[in-house]
């Protein structure tokens, strides 16, 4: 069974409040999502292994730590996942970025895949699958399946807000994938929206609808 980590850092929780607020406009929404993504990336990389190397400072030689281990790959689920990519790249600038395009059919709520483009070496990378919303879990499960089918082995899932229903579905289908969220909300409504949530993440990021 995978673990669920909730980032309770005050800065993340504060910004999330204004992301949720319906009076927050597109520009500010986008900026806040970007900022929270940076803070979440800082937390999600806590377990990265380090190794010591020797360097020369201007006045002495010393041993100092650098990140070791697997390289990182970011995989936003289009389109709303895109809103978090630049924020993560601020702290992991060398990460490669793959894209999985999925939309949720409004009637069936089932994910429909329309685009997959990934770095060639995903099998060797520590992947972070990114989507602000984990609702029914259908999109996340489908994206992770699409990645595994193409050779991916190590993955984390990073979301802003999750519904308990979506968390359970991902844990049941992909027990090897840990989930990192800013908040697990109360429930899904009959239209598959997270309550209280933030509405439609893609529409709020890009000003559609
Ligand atoms: C939203 C969101 C997730 C999905 C979550 O995308 O960004 O990808 O819904 O719902 P689920 O957990 O029930 O699958 P949407 O389908 O609205 O597409 P968009 O990002 O292109 O707007
Ligand atoms: N997708 C969203 O953008 N918002 C929700 O609440 C559920 C799915």
């Amino acid at each position: 069974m995978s673990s669920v980590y909730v980032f309770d850092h005050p800065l993340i929780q504060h910004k999330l409040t204004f992301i949720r607020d319906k009076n927050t406009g597109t520009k500010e929404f986008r900026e806040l999502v970007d900022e929270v993504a940076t803070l979440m990336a800082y937390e999600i990389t806590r377990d990265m292994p380090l190794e010591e190397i020797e360097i020369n400072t201007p006045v002495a030689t010393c041993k100092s730590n650098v990140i070791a281990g697997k390289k990182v790959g970011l995989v936003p689920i289009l389109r709303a996942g895109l809103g978090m990519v630049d924020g993560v790249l601020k702290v992991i600038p060398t990460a490669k970025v793959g894209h999985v395009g999925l939309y949720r059919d409004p009637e069936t709520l089932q994910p429909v895949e329309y685009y997959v483009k990934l770095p060639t070496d995903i099998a060797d990378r520590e992947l972070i699958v990114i989507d602000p919303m984990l609702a029914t879990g259908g999109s996340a499960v489908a994206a992770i399946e699409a990645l595994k089918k193409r050779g991916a082995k190590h993955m984390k899932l990073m979301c802003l807000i999750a519904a308990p229903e979506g968390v359970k579905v991902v844990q049941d289908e992909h027990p090897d994938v840990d989930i990192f969220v800013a908040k697990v909300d109360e429930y899904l409504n009959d239209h598959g929206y997270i309550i209280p949530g933030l509405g439609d993440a893609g529409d709020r990021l890009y000003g559609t609808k």
Side-chain angles (χ1 to χ4, degrees):
M1 164 82 79
S2 65
S3 300
V4 183
Y5 298 90
V6 179
F7 294 142
D8 57 0
H9 193 290
L11 286 173
I12 294 177
Q13 295 303 315
H14 176 87
K15 289 174 194 296
L16 182 62
T17 299
F18 296 96
I19 288 172
R20 288 184 190 278
D21 192 330
K22 70 174 186 183
N23 294 315
T24 299
T26 303
K27 175 177 179 289
E28 201 187 345
F29 184 91
R30 207 181 286 143
E31 289 167 356
L32 285 163
V33 169
D34 179 74
E35 288 166 17
V36 169
T38 304
L39 296 168
M40 290 184 77
Y42 178 79
E43 296 277 9
I44 210 171
T45 49
R46 240 173 220 291
D47 65 346
M48 276 185 163
L50 292 171
E51 67 182 347
E52 255 186 358
I53 60 165
E54 194 169 272
I55 53 153
N56 298 310
T57 77
V59 288
T61 297
C62 74
K63 292 206 163 114
S64 194
N65 288 321
V66 291
I67 307 271
K70 290 193 172 41
K71 295 201 166 70
V72 174
L74 310 182
V75 184
I77 302 178
L78 307 180
R79 88 196 135 134
L82 279 180
M84 298 177 77
V85 170
D86 286 349
V88 178
L89 285 173
K90 278 182 193 134
V91 284
I92 320 175
T94 56
K96 287 194 178 172
V97 183
H99 296 86
V100 175
L102 295 172
Y103 71 87
R104 202 170 69 150
D105 183 290
E107 301 299 325
T108 65
L109 300 184
Q110 292 306 304
V112 181
E113 183 181 301
Y114 61 88
Y115 186 75
V116 180
K117 184 79 179 173
L118 302 169
T120 51
D121 58 354
I122 51 162
D124 304 323
R125 287 185 179 264
E126 191 71 53
L127 300 178
I128 305 177
V129 180
I130 302 174
D131 194 326
M133 309 306 278
L134 176 59
T136 64
S139 301
V141 164
I144 294 166
E145 268 165 20
L147 293 171
K148 286 185 175 173
K149 203 168 80 184
R150 290 165 177 84
K153 293 191 176 61
H154 308 276
M155 267 171 274
K156 294 173 175 173
L157 174 64
M158 173 174 148
C159 307
L160 272 186
I161 299 177
E165 295 89 334
V167 169
K168 181 169 185 325
V169 167
V170 173
Q171 284 185 315
D172 288 348
E173 298 293 321
H174 297 290
D176 54 317
V177 179
D178 286 338
I179 304 169
F180 298 78
V181 294
K183 187 79 179 177
V184 179
D185 270 2
E186 291 168 25
Y187 65 98
L188 283 180
N189 73 9
D190 292 343
H191 304 288
Y193 274 85
I194 301 174
I195 304 299
L198 54 72
D200 186 301
D203 285 341
R204 293 200 63 193
L205 270 170
Y206 299 112
T208 44
K209 221 176 222 168

